[in-house]
Amino acid sequence: MIDQDSKVLLEVRGLRATVNGIEILKGIDLAVSSGEIHAIMGPNGSGKSTFAKVLAGHPAYQVTDGTVFFEGRNLLELAPEARARLGVFLGFQYPIEIPGVANSQFLRLAYNTVQTERGKDELDPLEFDDFVREKMKLLEMNPDFLDRSVNEGFSGGEKKRNEILQMALLEPKIGILDETDSGLDIDALRIVASGVNRLASKDNAIVLITHYQRLLNYITPDYVHVMDAGRIIRTGGKELALELETRGYDWVSAEYKQTATRATA
Amino acid sequence: MSTVLQDLVNQPYPHGFVTNIESDVAPKGLNEDTIRLISAKKNEPEWLLEFRLKAYRQWLGMEEPKWPNVRYPKIDFQAISYYSAPKPKKKLNSLDEVDPELLRTFEKLGVPMNERAALAGVAVDVIFDSVSVATTYKQRLAEVGIIFCSISEAVQQHPGLVQQYLGTVVPVGDNYYAALNSAVFTDGSFCFIPKGVKCPMDLSTYFRINTQESGQFERTLIIAEEGASVSYLEGCTAPKFDTNQLHAAVVELVALDNADIKYSTVQNWYAGDEQGVGGIYNFVTKRGLCKGVNSRISWTQVETGSAITWKYPSCILRGDNSVGEFYSVALTNHRQQADTGTKMIHLGKNTRSTIVSKGISAGHSNNSYRGLVKIAPTAAGARNYSQCDSMLIGDQCGANTFPYIQVNNPGAQVEHEASTSKIGEDQLFYFAQRGIGAEEAVSMIINGFCKDVFQQLPMEFAVEATKLLGLKLEGSVG
Ligand SMILES: Nc1ncnc2c1ncn2[C@@H]1O[C@H](COP(=O)(O)OP(=O)(O)O)[C@@H](O)[C@H]1O
Ligand SMILES: [Mg+2]
């Protein structure tokens, strides 16, 4: 929901980043205000996941230029855990498996860490168990997942639900969901989408990274951005997603190149 | 390796200090006179002197083993002092009589002995520089006929028992370090559980190496008679020194019919600095004999210290239906080297053994599992299950698995599983993205990895072990 009075949560300017010396992000500008839902679309390899990981502070990526402010704070000088505690959440495209660590234990530690940061009380294992089971019900998740190792042997769809569960527990100010829809069947997609819709409020923001429009049938974005070769090359409303669905991405790149050439000419 | 990981594994040894208790140290060097001196100082019977001399003569003709996957400079056995004892004091009946300096040492180690003993109902037989200075709960144990004392005391009070069992599991010439130990051991623990008695509490010994350059040659002998059972805990830690210290202990366990011995160790000796200078060399021979039918010997170890660890707690399963178990966590960091594992020798019918080994390597360390499962032709129906998992932290360290399997009975079943995993940047990033810092993340992953072994430890020991692994890996994450 766009509201002219709402405050800017995340402001990215001219962001460039490299991995192993290769430049992947080539100058990204993006502003996200509270209450908004943004979709970032674009072909495979265009840098969407890289962008998400750079925002979250993945150590493999070097920021070479640009700024990122979150609620007025310079995000780039904070460690990844500090960013998370401030309320930046990344739902991973490929959630990693952590053998030997029980999901319940992991979820509780994450929850209590963030609670402590917010000056709230921690939950003991019994209290947390009740709390997490409620949240799982909403996502139609089997409570057995609490006893299993984090993501270990989870199907693609189960991993994605586990990501949304974590978002529901941590109540971030900005949730960046990287291809949360891929690998989900239609029922799972509906459940995950309704989970996201329930979490969306006027006080937080959601950035959906996807390359299918089908998720956007369930979650209505305020803005749709097209990313290509490390840049956001077009921004529009939700109708842009439909247009991309029918026409593909090539025309957007072509038009972008034309403007770019004209600008330099 | 990322700087986060590097910081995490580079932290100084927290137990580095030297207790200031006057020692009575023998001149350096080893010859028959040294051995006679030790024996005389300890007022030993003739047969024990002969035992020592026989071992010494065998040792002279032996060579240091070259097969372990460890590297160290040649040890000068003439540069070691083979006897050191705190100044003789009057006999101690309670902890109040113990040197307060010693008690303070335990405080610093976070193991307030008196509290610990009382809280956990543990009898602590303190070995301090080769001589026992305190034995608690002895009376209570004596009521049920259990003997728990230093081996020197046992030699004086129960010479028949010691003579009957000493060297029956680990013969004097078993291997280079066992022979050396047999020649020069100064003290250790003795434990005897008579027929049908279940030991009412865990028995615990804190070993501590104190005097610089005094080789430590502990000797432990535990006997469980028919139907007896005991759980024995051994915990170690040492002060920081610049010169390497040799430690060559021998532990012998004997389980008669239907007896049960559980031996747990948490070892945290000084491992040397980040360059590997000054750590303890830990060359230990630990072996249990399941002599009787249906007997059981279970080794659980958490090895986190020492510059070099060379240690294979083993079981000889002679009695029919006897059971041998080995649960191990070995953690190496910086320049530490560990070559550890077990031997399960199946002789009796339907004997069973379980091996669970978890190796964790960090820094520039090297961690090897070496295990032998041997099924003799007599061991019809024998079964073994082995599981050896390695975890690497960073990319400068190494892990190896050397399983040796010899099956000489066609009816036997032997199963071996192995895995190697790595704590990667992406796992730590996943934790971080949920607000969890690297230290906590590593500790959680490691504890998960070691769960199967920690479950085998007595409760309070498990808590200590968990903390210890954390300490060894956590640190200066900025
Ligand atoms: N760790 C890495 N090492 C080398 N190249 C990488 C790495 N991560 C991403 N890339 C490259 O960066 C580009 C963008 O990848 P990514 O951000 O995953 O794209 P998207 O999510 O849009 O599909 C791709 O060409 C990919 O191969
Ligand atoms: Mg991607």
Side-chain angles (χ1 to χ4, degrees), chain A residues 44 48-50 93-94 178-179 209:
Chain A
N44 270 328
K48 305 183 295 295
S49 294
T50 302
Q93 180 174 7
Y94 304 109
D178 191 0
E179 308 244 2
I209 295 174

Side-chain angles (χ1 to χ4, degrees), chain A residues 58 84-85 88 90 97 163 166, chain B residues 426-427 430 433-435 448:
Chain A
H58 194 295
R85 291 175 199 162
V88 176
L90 170 57
E97 302 192 352
E163 294 294 291
Q166 293 176 55
Chain B
D426 280 322
Q427 280 182 331
Y430 192 78
Q433 219 307 300
R434 302 307 184 236

Side-chain angles (χ1 to χ4, degrees), chain A residues 72-104:
Chain A
R73 294 184 63 166
N74 180 358
L75 209 56
L76 297 179
E77 62 184 27
L78 298 177
E81 59 269 30
R83 300 184 197 193
R85 291 175 199 162
L86 281 183
V88 176
F89 179 90
L90 170 57
F92 287 84
Q93 180 174 7
Y94 304 109
I96 197 154
E97 302 192 352
I98 305 169
V101 175
N103 210 19
S104 55

